[in-house]
Amino acid sequence: MASLPNGLPIVSDRRASPLPALGALVAGAAAVLGLLLAEQQWEVATLAIVGALALLIGGKLGWGEVIHRSATDHHRWITPVAWLTAALVIFGLREHNFELLMLCTVMLYMVAGLGLTVQFGYTGVVNFAAAAFMGVGAYTAAVLLLHTGLPHVLVILAGGLVSAVIGSVLLLPLLRTRGHYAALITIAFGILFRTFLEVNDTLGGPQGLKVPGMEWFGLVFNDAIEIDDETEWSFYLRYAGLCLVLLFFAYHFVRRLERSWLGLSLDAVRLDETAASAFGLNGAAWKIVAFSIGNFLAGMAGAVYAMVTAFIAPASFTFGDSLILVSIVILGGLGNPLGLLPAALIVVVLPEKLQVIQEYRFLLFAALVIAILLVRPGGLIPRRARDYFPGAGGR
Amino acid sequence: MSQELLVASALSVRFGGVRALDGLDIRVHEGEVLGVIGPNGSGKTTFFNAVTGFVTTAGGSVTLGGETITGLVPREIARRGIARTFQRLRLLLELSVFDNLMLGQHLSLDHGIVANLLLRGRLRASMTSHIESARHLLSYFSATLPGKLFEPVSALTMIDRRRVEVCRALIREPRLLLLDEPSAGMTPEETAELMRDLQKVKAERSRLAVILIEHDMDVIESVSDRCAVFDYGRKLCEGSYAEVSSDPAVRRAYLGVDDE
């Protein structure tokens, strides 16, 4: 890099064009809509192939860098526009029940994935029980909705809090172990949780619980939305909006976390806890913080999931689901919140749409994760170097 | 005479049956550079690890500025003003130079939720001043390194990495700096340059004390005020470079010279 005599780099004042970022946004929205609305198997297959090709060619041509520059230089309005686009996509699906439900699931898996990103991606704390922590949040919400008059927004928060508190039971063994052993502890917890639910009659046993819908200032989420005699909008539209709001807060929370001294400390714990301790860093404390934040996010996602699906059972929060969450995080790009979207779409929506692979979904995910780790070790959208403020540091 | 800063007395460390440190006595004064030499396995790095709390001591004590620090965990010892480098570099390779330096600054940073997540404007201002001071410190060691502040450490050459590690230890202005064989993996010229640059920093921090583990006798001769020679976990002798290098016991044990 060229530099001035005082060692400061010469930074070009020319700002990148906003077009690549806008293009990526439009392509992304089109891909989401296309994938959700495709009805024929060949349509879905074509979309998947086009997506894979775009990734391969774009990777070779360095599109990622171009899009990143463009988005960074115009982040002030690109970010709001991106969220607006997401809202428009949801609104575009207003008459499609099933598609909205899938989109809700995608968004909630992304929220839980954000939790895993903090735990595993930043701090290096493994968690193979993310679905169980979603389950804790879901059952907390179910019980509170059935037996108390707590405002429903607080129910969602309570789901996160209880999940974080129950997660703290695992802290002691987790802090004393590392690697495989820590992984085993979380797996054991996940299985324990499911077994506990299955034998617990007050929580519905294996049959599960029916969960009342969300209400907010008199707005009943489960009511149909009748526009006129002909048109009726799906009641999932409101839930999709709720999921989007939750995702919005979770996403920006994790982004800001990463781009702060906190994120640096979490990274230091993952990369070299011993060296970090020589500079005064308390590894155990940071692991506790990260584990609790992650479980809090998973728990809130679970609470909303319970309301959206209106029914929860132990079978919704199995070890398999935890594995799916881990594969989303790795597939998308470990530590990059942005990668969660394509990964969650592939893992949640693709098998629903491609009936052929439905039965082989785990086989497919396993193959996909292995392929990604071989071809693109950083995931679909690899994590970038920390840019504390958009465009401030990294340039 | 300047104040005593670090006093290690009768310090012992055992690894199973091995006495890695066997009743070691070391004193370092403020502003002093103490060179530590000795054959491989003579306990030099173990001494650093005992002082910084990375290994548990089997006996003896360490005080820093009169306060006992034996038995404290590494982060508590860091808090009291001891910083170190590692013989095999332990930088966070995938993170930027700035991130690595800020790890060195860890204890001075505000880790509050509000300060980090909500008051972003204020965070940005404090970050800007940290960027300034990081560039300033790096500029003592290299003209080009300040321009690489946001490059990942993995993209740097060996000498630049070594410089970053030294800067990471220096950035919070420690009272005592422990350098564990900074010449490892570098040419003699690069080492000499690093030492000259370090002297520039030291010239502005009159009370900074340094303990330097080194194999290269030229380095020891040029920078240290005093030398201690380790052998089998004990201090073989201590004194100026001239005294030490002419000591018959040292010549036998370390320099491998038989005196007739």
Side-chain angles (χ1 to χ4, degrees):
Chain A
M1 190 196 295
S3 61
L4 299 169
N6 61 1
L8 297 176
I10 298 167
V11 179
S12 156
D13 279 339
R14 272 238 308 280
R15 303 213 305 172
S17 153
L19 289 177
L22 281 178
L25 202 56
V26 171
V32 173
L33 277 175
L35 184 62
L36 284 169
L37 291 173
E39 280 172 5
Q40 302 296 322
Q41 302 284 301
W42 65 265
E43 291 174 344
V44 183
T46 314
L47 212 58
I49 291 168
V50 169
L53 279 179
L55 197 73
L56 272 176
I57 298 170
K60 284 265 182 289
L61 297 180
W63 289 357
E65 189 57 35
V66 175
I67 294 168
H68 171 76
R69 290 244 153 158
S70 152
T72 316
D73 282 356
H74 303 277
H75 74 99
R76 270 181 201 290
W77 59 272
I78 285 277
T79 311
V81 165
W83 286 109
L84 201 69
T85 312
L88 283 175
V89 166
I90 290 171
F91 188 70
L93 294 167
R94 61 192 175 279
E95 288 174 27
H96 298 80
N97 254 321
F98 182 61
E99 284 72 15
L100 277 178
L101 176 59
M102 269 195 295
L103 207 52
C104 286
T105 314
V106 166
M107 287 190 277
L108 294 175
Y109 270 42
M110 283 175 73
V111 172
L114 284 166
L116 264 181
T117 299
V118 175
Q119 295 173 334
F120 188 40
Y122 298 159
T123 322
V125 178
V126 289
N127 182 359
F128 283 102
F133 286 109
M134 273 184 86
V136 173
Y139 272 89
T140 306
V143 169
L144 289 176
L145 288 167
L146 286 168
H147 302 295
T148 68
L150 202 65
H152 291 180
V153 179
L154 292 184
V155 168
I156 299 174
L157 278 177
L161 275 178
V162 172
S163 180
V165 169
I166 289 190
S168 62
V169 173
L170 289 187
L171 283 173
L172 208 60
L174 267 186
L175 292 177
R176 282 161 172 256
T177 51
R178 240 155 256 263
H180 307 36
Y181 300 98
L184 278 175
I185 287 165
T186 61
I187 292 172
F189 172 78
I191 292 168
L192 211 71
F193 174 72
R194 190 176 170 192
T195 314
F196 166 77
L197 290 178
E198 277 174 350
V199 298
N200 189 315
D201 284 338
T202 34
L203 291 176
Q207 273 75 45
L209 283 176
K210 273 185 70 116
V211 186
M214 171 103 181
E215 272 180 48
W216 198 352
F217 295 113
L219 181 71
V220 183
F221 274 47
N222 287 14
D223 281 353
I225 313 172
E226 284 174 29
I227 301 303
D228 54 48
D229 293 344
E230 315 262 289
T231 40
E232 189 184 311
W233 293 355
S234 164
F235 70 94
Y236 283 122
L237 188 60
R238 298 197 192 96
Y239 281 114
L242 175 69
C243 294
L244 190 66
V245 170
L246 181 65
L247 180 63
F248 175 86
F249 282 110
Y251 178 86
H252 284 290
F253 170 73
V254 172
R255 270 272 171 215
R256 287 191 169 196
L257 186 78
E258 192 224 348
R259 294 168 168 175
S260 74
W261 302 133
L262 308 175
L264 171 59
S265 300
L266 299 180
D267 274 331
V269 171
R270 179 184 86 254
L271 293 169
D272 194 340
E273 193 184 341
T274 312
S277 71
F279 299 99
L281 185 140
N282 184 345
W286 286 101
K287 283 183 185 169
I288 292 173
V289 167
F291 197 62
S292 306
I293 288 176
N295 293 336
F296 180 75
L297 289 176
M300 285 207 297
V304 176
Y305 182 81
M307 296 188 206
V308 174
T309 53
F311 168 75
I312 50 170
S316 325
F317 310 104
T318 60
F319 176 53
D321 296 303
S322 295
L323 281 185
I324 283 187
L325 279 163
V326 172
S327 50
I328 288 178
V329 173
I330 293 174
L331 199 61
L334 196 55
N336 187 356
L338 220 50
L340 294 172
L341 177 63
L345 280 172
I346 290 174
V347 170
V348 177
V349 181
L350 210 55
E352 295 285 347
K353 288 288 177 174
L354 271 185
Q355 299 294 329
V356 208
I357 62 167
Q358 183 68 275
E359 287 183 29
Y360 300 100
R361 56 193 294 175
F362 279 103
L363 187 72
L364 181 86
F365 298 157
L368 208 57
V369 167
I370 291 171
I372 281 286
L373 289 178
L374 283 175
V375 183
R376 261 176 100 94
L380 292 174
I381 312 182
R383 182 182 176 188
R384 307 190 59 91
R386 189 193 328 279
D387 210 357
Y388 286 97
F389 290 92
R395 306 280 301 271
Chain B
M1 189 73 189
S2 56
Q3 283 251 265
E4 271 183 347
L5 180 64
L6 185 90
V7 180
S9 38
L11 196 60
S12 297
V13 172
R14 289 203 191 103
F15 297 132
V18 181
R19 290 160 183 263
L21 286 186
D22 193 7
L24 188 77
D25 293 297
I26 292 280
R27 274 157 208 276
V28 184
H29 299 89
E30 282 181 346
E32 186 181 33
V33 179
L34 175 74
V36 171
I37 55 176
N40 285 326
S42 59
K44 305 183 300 289
T45 298
T46 305
F47 168 59
F48 274 14
N49 286 339
V51 169
T52 50
F54 279 91
V55 295
T56 36
T57 52
S61 72
V62 183
T63 63
L64 183 78
E67 184 193 5
T68 304
I69 57 169
T70 340
L72 294 180
V73 291
R75 65 167 190 278
E76 286 301 328
I77 292 172
R79 193 183 294 282
R80 284 160 177 74
I82 299 184
R84 68 174 292 180
T85 67
F86 296 88
Q87 188 176 356
R88 281 188 210 143
L89 291 171
R90 293 189 80 155
L91 291 163
L92 311 176
L93 281 183
E94 50 187 90
L95 300 189
S96 67
V97 173
F98 181 65
D99 281 356
N100 274 278
L101 294 183
M102 288 305 104
L103 175 61
Q105 209 41 295
H106 180 83
L107 286 167
S108 313
L109 301 176
D110 183 350
H111 288 102
I113 296 262
V114 176
N116 278 278
L117 300 186
L118 298 176
L119 305 175
R120 298 289 285 181
R122 208 186 290 179
L123 181 68
R124 187 172 202 154
S126 102
M127 240 162 221
T128 313
S129 75
H130 278 299
I131 289 173
E132 276 307 305
S133 59
R135 286 213 166 103
H136 179 69
L137 180 58
L138 288 171
S139 70
Y140 281 92
F141 291 86
S142 154
T144 53
L145 208 44
K148 296 177 181 166
L149 194 61
F150 288 99
E151 282 182 30
V153 169
S154 56
L156 300 182
T157 58
M158 189 64 196
I159 169 114
D160 273 349
R161 291 183 193 190
R162 191 64 80 175
R163 286 167 174 150
V164 171
E165 214 190 41
V166 172
C167 285
R168 180 173 72 175
L170 278 171
I171 197 157
R172 206 175 151 260
E173 310 207 347
R175 299 158 81 186
L176 174 64
L177 174 67
L178 308 179
L179 294 176
D180 196 348
E181 221 177 299
S183 70
M186 301 205 302
T187 65
E189 293 77 35
E190 287 172 337
T191 312
E193 199 189 326
L194 184 71
M195 288 301 140
R196 269 200 308 277
D197 298 334
L198 183 65
Q199 299 279 26
K200 285 190 277 176
V201 178
K202 241 198 122 278
E204 291 178 17
R205 300 184 190 175
S206 59
R207 293 171 66 187
L208 170 66
V210 180
I211 307 182
L212 168 71
I213 293 179
E214 194 45 78
H215 274 304
D216 188 328
M217 298 306 285
D218 292 338
V219 174
I220 291 285
E221 187 180 8
S222 63
V223 298
S224 53
D225 303 315
R226 232 155 29 91
C227 288
V229 185
F230 284 22
D231 200 23
Y232 294 106
R234 287 175 211 231
K235 188 169 68 185
L236 204 58
C237 74
E238 192 179 347
S240 72
Y241 176 78
E243 287 164 16
V244 163
S245 57
S246 58
D247 188 294
V250 174
R251 294 172 73 83
R252 252 197 315 279
Y254 188 52
L255 301 174
V257 181
D258 279 326
D259 40 354
E260 44 276 57

